């Protein structure tokens, strides 16, 4: 069945989906099955436990709940499901993904405080504490572990300690760190974290999951129901009573995720994290050699994403450089950080430092082919 199909290997340096192994790709090719079969439910049960194991959660106190959707569905679900009546959300916001959480609160009409910090700096813990002290009705604090748009790593353990000191639940968007940068859910003071299968797990798009405190989910059973499809307790309860997803699961994506989990545990947490760091170092080495500048101070970077300023060279044209690299199997990704145009190089996925060296050889050719000065030029 898995035969000798040859799939071209692309190196994705965009912030997810990530490059996958051929074994994960091929794991999707399975005999047709109705997901209501016991065989499928038992696979999901083991998967839910493995997803808790990745963040070292005690299975007696932590659980995971699967959803069909991209990573944003997790943020939506946590915010709309975990806020009691009459309470408020605090968003600790220094980037685009926390702004997305603030937008979700606005869409649901949830009372919230959008506490903004500069996108290239860490949130100020004293300021967070001051807001918590002034607003005893804050019941949920939310932030992003690693702002994927800039590459900055936020101090979740410290923010979580503050949230808990003031009696709030702490939800963290760990979509771009989970299964890459080691997380210990309890020690990091996280009540709920989340991810989707196509990032750290190096699997396919369409499956997302929330890992969190079981008692807090149970407690949310009688919180206001603000969504039907995206309610955490409803989905949890359905899993616990039937072993199934409430609605049709992404069947083939789940088979791929099963394979990806096996590969995750075979590679090992530390080895995998070291591989991502090696890729990250190789990205920095290549950028330094060509004279590119980053947006975020290096000591604040999570080790997974580098956000690079566009050079001021009049011949610089991101689309042309992108197309040159893309035709040769390497994908880079544009973005804007505040008013600054940037592109990103990410250390996600099933890639190694050697792939990055090959990428930089191609990038250098692309610069030469378009008469862009090396080292690249910045006017200030
Ligand atoms: C990728 C990502 C998401 C999910 O984005 P989708 O477009 O819904 O897949 C959420 N948060 C962070 C921090 C991310 O990196």
């Amino acid at each position: 069945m898995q035969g000798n199909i040859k799939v071209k290997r692309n190196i994705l340096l965009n912030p997810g989906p990530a490059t996958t192994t051929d074994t994960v790709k091929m794991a999707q090719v399975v005999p047709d099955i109705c997901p209501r079969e016991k065989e499928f439910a038992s696979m999901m049960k083991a998967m839910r436990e493995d997803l808790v194991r990745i963040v070292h959660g005690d299975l007696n106190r932590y659980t995971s709940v699967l959803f069909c959707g991209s990573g944003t569905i997790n943020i939506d679900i946590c915010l709309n499901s975990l806020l009691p009546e009459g309470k408020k959300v605090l968003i600790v916001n220094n980037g685009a993904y926390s702004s997305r959480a603030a937008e979700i609160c606005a869409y649901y009409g949830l009372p919230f405080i959008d506490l903004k910090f500069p996108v290239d700096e860490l949130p100020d813990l004293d300021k967070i504490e001051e807001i918590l002290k002034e607003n005893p009705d804050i019941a949920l604090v939310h932030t992003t572990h690693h702002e994927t748009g800039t590459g900055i790593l936020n101090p979740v353990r410290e923010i979580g300690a503050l949230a808990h000191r003031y009696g709030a639940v702490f939800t963290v968007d760990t979509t771009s760190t989970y299964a890459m940068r080691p997380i210990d859910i309890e020690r990091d003071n996280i009540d709920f974290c989340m991810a989707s299968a196509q990032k750290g797990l190096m699997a396919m798009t369409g499956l997302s999951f929330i890992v969190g405190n079981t008692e807090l989910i149970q407690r949310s059973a009688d919180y206001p129901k603000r969504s039907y499809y995206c309610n955490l307790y409803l989905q949890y309860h359905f899993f616990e009573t039937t072993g199934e997803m409430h609605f049709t699961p992404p069947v083939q994506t789940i088979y791929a995720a099963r394979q990806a989990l096996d590969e995750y545990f075979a590679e090992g947490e530390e080895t995998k994290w070291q591989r991502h760091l090696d890729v990250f170092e190789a990205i920095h080495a290549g950028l330094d050699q060509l004279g590119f500048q980053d947006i975020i101070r290096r000591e604040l970077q999570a080790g997974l994403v580098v956000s690079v300023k566009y050079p001021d060279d009049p011949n610089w044209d991101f689309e042309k450089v992108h197309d040159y690299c893309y035709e040769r199997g390497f994908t880079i990704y544009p973005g804007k950080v505040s008013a600054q145009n940037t592109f990103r190089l990410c250390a996600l996925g099933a890639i190694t430092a050697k792939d990055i060296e090959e990428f930089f050889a191609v990038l250098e050719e692309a610069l030469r082919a378009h008469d862009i000065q090396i080292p690249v030029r910045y006017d200030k």
Side-chain angles (χ1 to χ4, degrees):
M1 171 180 63
Q2 306 195 350
N4 295 318
I5 306 169
K6 213 49 201 146
V7 184
K8 178 173 173 250
R9 181 165 180 264
N10 284 329
I11 304 300
L12 300 185
L13 301 174
N14 49 295
T19 295
T20 58
T21 61
D22 284 352
T23 36
V24 166
K25 289 182 192 76
M26 294 310 167
Q28 295 175 101
V29 184
V30 287
D32 294 322
I33 182 172
C34 170
R36 302 295 177 206
E37 292 300 329
K38 279 193 211 71
E39 182 188 338
F40 198 78
S42 75
M43 178 173 62
M44 285 199 290
K45 182 171 190 296
M47 175 173 292
R48 288 178 61 207
E49 293 177 356
D50 282 342
L51 292 170
V52 176
R53 283 190 187 101
I54 287 182
V55 291
H56 304 280
D58 175 348
L59 287 166
N60 294 314
R61 287 183 297 125
Y62 294 91
T63 187
S64 78
V65 187
L66 312 179
F67 291 89
C68 183
S70 81
T72 304
I73 202 171
N74 295 323
I75 314 173
D76 184 321
I77 292 161
C78 280
L79 293 169
N80 91 63
S81 307
L82 293 168
L83 189 70
E85 185 73 64
K87 299 290 185 181
K88 206 185 266 171
V89 177
L90 171 63
I91 312 278
V92 177
N93 182 349
N94 63 343
Y97 286 98
S98 286
S99 291
R100 187 175 294 182
E103 248 179 75
I104 290 169
C105 289
Y107 266 57
Y108 280 106
L110 305 176
F112 72 104
I113 298 174
D114 185 10
L115 183 59
K116 284 196 170 126
F117 296 98
V119 296
D120 54 353
E121 282 174 32
L122 297 182
D124 175 351
L125 296 172
D126 292 337
K127 185 73 199 165
I128 297 169
E129 178 154 24
E130 195 184 307
I131 298 290
L132 285 165
K133 214 178 265 174
E134 284 167 6
N135 296 275
D137 57 345
I138 292 171
L140 194 162
V141 176
H142 176 90
T143 198
T144 307
H145 192 197
H146 166 220
E147 276 289 353
T148 323
T150 57
I152 201 166
L153 181 74
N154 282 322
V156 291
R157 193 177 289 189
E158 290 77 6
I159 299 170
L162 284 174
H164 290 163
R165 190 172 313 148
Y166 290 86
V169 165
F170 187 41
T171 64
V172 185
D173 177 355
T174 53
T175 313
S176 61
T177 44
Y178 181 96
M180 291 181 282
R181 201 186 160 96
I183 294 172
D184 183 311
I185 191 164
E186 188 156 12
R187 263 198 282 161
D188 288 332
N189 295 318
I190 297 171
D191 296 309
F192 294 90
C193 62
M194 57 195 79
S196 51
Q198 84 270 16
K199 289 197 180 168
L201 276 185
M202 317 193 309
M204 297 298 152
T205 59
L207 174 69
S208 291
F209 42 87
I210 295 169
V211 182
N213 184 303
T214 311
E215 196 195 318
L216 290 173
I217 298 177
Q218 286 162 351
R219 205 184 291 169
S220 74
D222 43 282
Y223 289 0
K225 301 284 181 293
R226 302 173 177 101
S227 170
Y228 179 68
Y229 201 85
C230 295
N231 182 270
L232 182 57
Y233 180 77
L234 214 66
Q235 184 84 326
Y236 163 80
H237 186 253
F238 208 82
F239 263 119
E240 291 298 308
T241 50
T242 68
E244 295 171 7
M245 262 198 208
H246 201 167
F247 308 106
T248 309
V251 176
Q252 288 73 16
T253 293
I254 288 177
Y255 278 105
R258 179 63 261 165
Q259 174 66 23
L261 279 163
D262 292 343
E263 293 180 16
Y264 173 87
F265 290 111
E267 185 173 13
E269 179 181 53
E270 273 178 42
T271 310
K272 184 172 187 290
W273 172 226
Q274 188 57 51
R275 178 171 58 75
H276 290 298
L277 274 182
D278 291 345
V279 170
F280 179 74
E281 295 299 334
I283 290 172
H284 273 307
L287 288 170
D288 287 348
Q289 197 156 14
L290 295 173
F292 281 101
Q293 296 178 1
D294 324 349
I295 287 281
I296 300 292
R297 299 207 306 280
R298 291 226 177 151
E299 66 273 21
L300 301 185
Q301 295 178 14
L304 291 162
V305 170
V306 187
S307 190
V308 187
K309 291 181 190 164
Y310 279 8
D312 293 319
D313 194 309
N315 288 339
W316 171 261
D317 180 330
F318 176 80
E319 282 306 317
K320 285 187 181 152
V321 173
H322 165 276
D323 293 353
Y324 189 100
C325 296
Y326 182 75
E327 283 156 18
R328 289 156 183 81
F330 298 93
T331 302
I332 60 177
Y333 195 82
K336 230 181 181 158
V337 173
S338 304
Q340 174 79 50
N341 281 310
T342 65
F343 69 93
R344 273 177 272 174
L345 300 178
C346 305
L348 276 55
I351 59 175
T352 63
K354 186 166 164 289
D355 295 315
I356 300 301
E357 283 157 27
E358 288 168 13
F359 160 70
F360 275 104
V362 169
L363 179 62
E364 186 169 342
E365 273 171 33
L367 299 179
R368 290 193 199 287
H370 294 100
D371 281 324
I372 299 159
Q373 199 181 303
I374 299 173
V376 294
R377 214 180 92 190
Y378 290 99
D379 294 340
K380 46 186 183 327

